[in-house]
Amino acid sequence: MTSTLQYAVVGTGTVGTVLAQRFSDHHVPALWANTRGPETIDVTELSASITSATLDTALDADVIILAIPFFQVRELGGRRPDWSGKIVVDATNAFLVPNSEQILAGRLSTEYNAEAFPGAAVVKSFNQTAARQLAEKRPPEFGKRVVFVSSNDSAASATVAELCTELGFAPIELGRLDEGGVLIQARNALVLRELYELPSELEKNTQVTSAVGRDLTPGTWTIDPVHSSITFSVRHLMVGRVRGRFGDFSGAITVPENGTPNIAATIAVGSVDTGNPTRDEHLRAPDVFDADDSPTATLVSVDMHGTGQNDWVLIIDFTLRGITKRLPLAFSFLGVSPGMGHGEVAGFEGVIQLKRSDFGVLTDTPMLAGGAPMLGDTVDVTVCLEAVKAPAAPTGSEGDAAPA
C-alpha cells in the first residue's frame, strides 16, 4: 500500500519517539510535533520522510496520532472548535492517572477523549503495549507484532489498520469502542500482550516466486506516456477534493550494471486538466503553476530505499515554479512484462505528497468561516508508469570494415 493521507505524530515523549522512528524506518511520510516548537525536535537521525512541524501544522493532517499524556488530550482538543474530516488516533491511557475513576465517570477513556474532538473519527490504537515493545525491530521471518484497532467509525478503523500495515505491524480490528475496543482499555484482557502474526508457508513461497524474473535489467527504460498517468488531488472546502491530471510528461529510468537505479522526469505544467477549462486556465496563472515563466516541473532521484518485497521509497529533488524541495516518493514495483514486440515493459505505482505552500502556490488562499483555508495545503500526486526498455546498441557485424 502507498499512502495518500497526511499523517502527524503529536508528542515527542517515549511513545511519540518510537512511532516517529517507525514512520522513518518504513519511509512513510509524517509530520512530528510537540507544544514547544519544531526547533526542539531532532530529526537528524531519521529518514527524509519525517518532518518536524509546528503543532498547528500537524493538526492540519488527515490522521493525527496523540502520543501525549492523558491529561493533556482535552487541552489539545480545545485548540479547534471543529475537527470534522479528521481521524484522531488515541494512543493514551488513563491508567495510573490520579482520580481517573471520578474523571471518567464510567466512560471508557477513549470515549472521554473523543468529546474533545467534535466531528472527528476517534480511533484507539498503539496503546496496548509498552513503548519498548513497539520499538522492537523483528526480522520478517519471525513475524510481525500485532496491534489492535478500535473505533465507532469502521472506515476510520480500516484507515488506521492500513497505516499499521505500512508501519510493519499486523493489525487486528476489534470493532466498536464499547464492544471489542473495551479489551484494549487499560487493565483489560489485550493490554500488554506479546502477540505476533507469523508468516505462513504459502506467504513465504509466494514471496519467493513473485520476485523471480521481475528485476529491471541494466539499461535505459523510457517512460511510455500513452500508458502512464500523473494525477493529483487536493482538499476543497474541507469536505471534497478537486482532482486533475497532466497530459504531457516524459522521463527515463537508468539502471546501471552495479549501483542504484535513478529516474529523471519532466512535466509540462501547462498540460494540466481538471475537466474544467476555466479552472485549468487559472491553474496556469502566475499564482499557481506560473506556466509562462516556469513551464515545467522536474523530478530527479537522489537515493532509494527498500521497504518490502517490491515496495520502495525514492528520495527525489522536485522542482516547481523554480523552487526545489527534497521529498520521499513511495512506490511499488509491479514487475516486468515481455511487452507487445517493442521491448520489455516495467510497471510502477507511486505516491508523493506536496505542500503547495512550499512552492509558493496560492499563498493568498481565501479562508472559510472558522479560519480553515478554502483549499488544502497538501496535494496528493499519484504516478502510474509503464517504462519500455530501450534496445541494446548494435555492436557491429562481419560486414563492417575498419578504416584504412
Side-chain angles (χ1 to χ4, degrees), residues 199-244:
S200 67
E201 289 302 316
L202 176 61
E203 288 174 326
K204 293 177 183 176
N205 292 336
T206 300
Q207 288 175 356
V208 172
T209 56
S210 67
V212 175
R214 298 182 65 183
D215 290 342
L216 291 176
T217 53
T220 300
W221 297 73
T222 303
I223 294 172
D224 175 7
V226 175
H227 297 102
S228 303
S229 65
I230 300 177
T231 60
F232 64 88
S233 69
V234 62
R235 185 77 67 188
H236 181 246
L237 299 178
M238 299 297 291
V239 295
R241 282 190 174 271
V242 172
R243 303 179 186 274

Side-chain angles (χ1 to χ4, degrees), residues 298-318:
T298 60
L299 178 157
V300 178
S301 67
V302 296
D303 198 4
M304 188 168 70
H305 308 286
T307 59
Q309 183 70 29
N310 290 302
D311 295 325
W312 302 81
V313 170
L314 199 67
I315 306 302
I316 63 170
D317 282 344
F318 184 79

Side-chain angles (χ1 to χ4, degrees), residues 39-373:
E39 66 278 1
T40 68
I41 303 174
D42 184 6
V43 296
T44 55
E45 299 299 320
L46 302 179
S47 71
S49 61
I50 304 300
T51 304
S52 59
T54 65
L55 182 56
D56 285 335
T57 298
L59 298 183
D60 285 335
D62 301 298
V63 180
I64 304 161
I65 302 174
L66 304 182
I68 57 178
F70 175 81
F71 58 83
Q72 293 180 6
V73 172
R74 288 219 160 191
E75 180 182 351
L76 187 143
R79 295 179 72 96
R80 297 192 174 187
D82 184 9
W83 294 84
S84 296
K86 305 290 185 185
I87 296 176
V88 175
V89 182
D90 179 16
T92 73
N93 288 301
F95 184 63
L96 297 181
V97 172
N99 303 316
S100 61
E101 292 185 2
Q102 291 85 349
I103 293 171
L104 298 179
R107 291 165 292 181
L108 300 173
S109 65
T110 304
E111 291 175 329
Y112 174 84
N113 286 339
E115 296 173 356
F117 300 92
V122 177
V123 179
K124 187 76 164 179
S125 192
F126 302 121
N127 75 295
Q128 84 278 357
T129 189
R132 66 179 181 278
Q133 295 167 333
L134 279 180
E136 179 190 34
K137 295 183 179 181
R138 192 175 178 88
E141 61 268 26
F142 293 111
K144 298 178 180 179
R145 176 173 291 281
V146 170
V147 294
F148 298 102
V149 181
S150 176
S151 176
N152 295 341
D153 186 314
S154 59
S157 185
T159 295
V160 174
E162 289 180 3
L163 171 61
C164 292
T165 300
E166 280 195 276
L167 297 180
F169 296 114
I172 296 178
E173 295 183 64
L174 298 177
R176 291 179 54 84
L177 293 170
D178 57 356
E179 296 174 346
V182 174
L183 299 173
I184 53 173
Q185 302 292 316
R187 290 194 174 99
N188 288 349
L190 296 180
V191 175
L192 297 179
R193 295 291 184 179
E194 288 277 338
L195 301 176
Y196 299 93
E197 180 184 85
L198 299 178
S200 67
E201 289 302 316
L202 176 61
E203 288 174 326
K204 293 177 183 176
N205 292 336
T206 300
Q207 288 175 356
V208 172
T209 56
S210 67
V212 175
R214 298 182 65 183
D215 290 342
L216 291 176
T217 53
T220 300
W221 297 73
T222 303
I223 294 172
D224 175 7
V226 175
H227 297 102
S228 303
S229 65
I230 300 177
T231 60
F232 64 88
S233 69
V234 62
R235 185 77 67 188
H236 181 246
L237 299 178
M238 299 297 291
V239 295
R241 282 190 174 271
V242 172
R243 303 179 186 274
R245 61 186 296 273
F246 294 100
D248 185 0
F249 54 90
S250 61
I253 302 162
T254 303
V255 182
E257 290 287 347
N258 295 293
T260 303
N262 61 76
I263 180 173
T266 300
I267 303 167
V269 296
S271 68
V272 64
D273 179 8
T274 65
N276 183 309
T278 301
R279 179 167 57 208
D280 295 344
E281 191 61 32
H282 178 220
L283 292 177
R284 299 183 187 102
D287 61 338
V288 189
F289 292 139
D290 196 12
D292 288 339
D293 288 340
S294 301
T296 60
T298 60
L299 178 157
V300 178
S301 67
V302 296
D303 198 4
M304 188 168 70
H305 308 286
T307 59
Q309 183 70 29
N310 290 302
D311 295 325
W312 302 81
V313 170
L314 199 67
I315 306 302
I316 63 170
D317 282 344
F318 184 79
T319 302
L320 177 68
R321 293 168 52 91
I323 301 170
T324 300
K325 295 289 182 181
R326 183 156 294 182
L327 303 166
L329 190 162
F331 75 93
S332 296
F333 172 46
L334 306 180
V336 176
S337 164
M340 301 292 290
H342 301 288
E344 292 179 293
V345 178
F348 308 86
E349 290 181 348
V351 175
I352 180 174
Q353 290 187 323
L354 308 177
K355 289 283 194 179
R356 60 178 177 79
S357 58
D358 285 345
F359 298 94
V361 173
L362 289 175
T363 54
D364 294 325
T365 302
M367 307 299 284
L368 302 173

